[in-house]
Amino acid sequence: MAKLSEKTSEMEAFVAVAQEGGFTKASIELDISPSAVSKRISRLEDRLGTKLLNRSTRRSALTEAGIIFLQRCQDILSEISGAEEEAKKFSSEPIGTLRVNCSILFADIHIIPLLNQFYLRYPNVHIDLNTDLDINLFEKNIDVGFHYSKPPDSSSLIVRKLSSNPWTICAAPDYLNRHGRPQSPEDLLHHNCCIDNSRPQYNRWEFEDQEGYRIIKVSGNFEAVGALVHKAALRGVGICQLPRYSIFNDIQNGKLEPLLEDKRPQNDRIIYLFYPHRKNISLKVRVFIDFLLEHLPQQIEGGL
């Protein structure tokens, strides 16, 4: 009978291949050779007497048995990880890798500037920052994340309101001097609008005034992620819509001018902080959340 350590290493190899889609990527994730990954999977399949993966030259696909076995393996490995994390919380200092998920724009403006201060307090925490908001939070073992809306799989997460998050329509004085200032939401249909293409809904701008609530579907000749839309707007490329916190200093300095402020909806968007719903939160997660709650709400709302 295989030892428990051998079984868990085989499970880890199988889960890595299933999540990464192939042996090569799994080997990088596990820091072992592809052949070692293949041997562990073969031993596992031989012991179980069933095929878990259909292999091809490019990808590996789960069999029906593999799909069922994957969920059980993830649960078991999660329990083992939880047991280890529970033990680590008795350490005098938080240690280990902390996986954080947020947008590039949020990371650039709010997370990165706080890192030095955080590391002065907690030098043994390694932060792994992921900016792909479409990933499966559990498959990638995200510890702490930020969303502009509640995550779709929030039933297994603790979700907390971090701050209100109004968005502002704005443009550089150079653009307005050349093309004029829109006086109504409908005027935007005749302007070049820079679109944040990270979400389809970001080209549907909301308005509410005495004429009622409506959505204007804007368009333009430049699309990119929010941070680059911001840069393009500063250069006078077009009109943009961005979180107020990200452009507050530019508005204060006259580099961008807010537009149609009296025609915007009053229901501010919300920035949510979330983390996995666990009985025992690891020390590294707890201190990071406490640190963020100490700094971020005031920092964000200071830019309203």
Side-chain angles (χ1 to χ4, degrees):
M1 181 178 292
K3 295 180 180 179
L4 181 59
S5 60
E6 293 176 350
K7 290 182 178 180
T8 55
S9 66
E10 290 166 2
M11 286 183 181
E12 287 173 343
F14 170 67
V15 170
V17 172
Q19 290 179 352
E20 300 297 332
F23 285 73
T24 301
K25 289 184 178 180
S27 70
I28 296 172
E29 177 70 18
L30 297 171
D31 196 24
I32 59 177
S33 68
S35 62
V37 174
S38 180
K39 288 178 181 177
R40 291 183 185 182
I41 300 296
S42 295
R43 286 201 307 266
L44 179 60
E45 290 178 330
D46 289 342
R47 192 174 72 254
L48 297 176
T50 188
K51 198 172 185 63
L52 300 174
L53 292 164
N54 288 318
R55 299 165 175 80
S56 68
T57 54
R58 293 187 177 180
R59 288 187 62 83
S60 297
L62 291 170
T63 64
E64 183 177 0
I67 293 172
I68 296 172
F69 191 64
L70 175 63
Q71 182 61 58
R72 297 298 298 272
C73 286
Q74 288 173 326
D75 291 343
I76 291 168
L77 294 175
S78 178
E79 286 293 324
I80 293 173
S81 177
E84 292 178 347
E85 290 293 339
E86 198 170 334
K88 285 180 182 178
K89 74 178 183 179
F90 295 102
S91 171
S92 59
E93 284 190 57
I95 59 173
T97 298
L98 183 74
R99 294 176 175 83
V100 180
N101 178 257
C102 64
S103 71
I104 294 175
L105 186 62
F106 190 89
D108 182 38
I109 294 173
H110 291 300
I111 301 297
I112 304 300
L114 292 174
L115 286 182
N116 279 341
Q117 191 173 351
F118 178 79
Y119 285 136
L120 283 174
R121 292 192 198 177
Y122 311 110
N124 295 319
V125 175
H126 173 95
I127 293 179
D128 180 356
L129 185 61
N130 188 302
T131 57
D132 180 2
L133 299 182
D134 292 323
I135 65 170
N136 185 301
L137 303 174
F138 295 101
E139 285 185 0
K140 293 298 181 180
N141 296 317
I142 298 300
D143 294 303
V144 182
F146 305 88
H147 270 235
Y148 297 135
S149 59
K150 288 187 177 181
D153 52 354
S154 60
S155 60
S156 299
L157 298 169
I158 295 174
V159 181
R160 302 175 63 172
K161 176 184 173 181
L162 181 63
S163 171
S164 59
N165 178 36
W167 284 46
T168 296
I169 294 172
C170 60
D174 175 62
Y175 175 88
L176 298 175
N177 290 338
R178 287 184 286 117
H179 300 283
R181 178 183 291 269
Q183 300 300 315
S184 71
E186 288 71 21
D187 288 347
L188 292 171
L189 298 173
H190 308 292
H191 279 270
N192 192 49
C193 296
C194 302
I195 307 300
D196 183 339
N197 61 10
S198 63
R199 288 288 187 278
Q201 67 267 30
Y202 286 173
N203 69 342
R204 298 167 60 84
W205 295 0
E206 299 176 272
F207 297 92
E208 189 171 29
D209 54 20
Q210 65 273 14
E211 297 181 23
Y213 173 84
R214 57 206 186 278
I215 293 176
I216 303 297
K217 187 175 181 180
V218 298
S219 61
N221 60 14
F222 181 75
E223 299 182 20
V225 296
L228 297 179
V229 167
H230 184 187
K231 299 293 185 184
L234 287 170
R235 296 288 185 177
V237 173
I239 297 174
C240 72
Q241 176 184 242
L242 289 168
R244 183 80 169 192
Y245 70 75
S246 70
I247 55 174
F248 178 73
N249 289 334
D250 296 319
I251 291 174
Q252 292 291 98
N253 297 331
K255 295 179 180 180
L256 292 173
E257 296 183 18
L259 305 171
L260 304 170
E261 290 283 85
D262 60 335
K263 302 182 186 300
R264 298 291 281 162
Q266 297 304 308
N267 54 326
D268 289 344
R269 304 184 191 192
I270 303 297
I271 297 177
Y272 292 96
L273 163 69
F274 60 87
Y275 48 96
H277 197 299
R278 293 175 182 148
K279 185 176 181 180
N280 295 293
I281 301 174
S282 67
L283 187 57
K284 66 185 179 186
V285 172
R286 189 179 301 280
V287 298
F288 187 68
I289 290 172
D290 289 344
F291 179 84
L292 294 175
L293 293 176
E294 177 185 343
H295 293 86
L296 282 184
Q298 300 90 335
Q299 185 174 318
I300 295 171
E301 293 183 356
L304 300 187

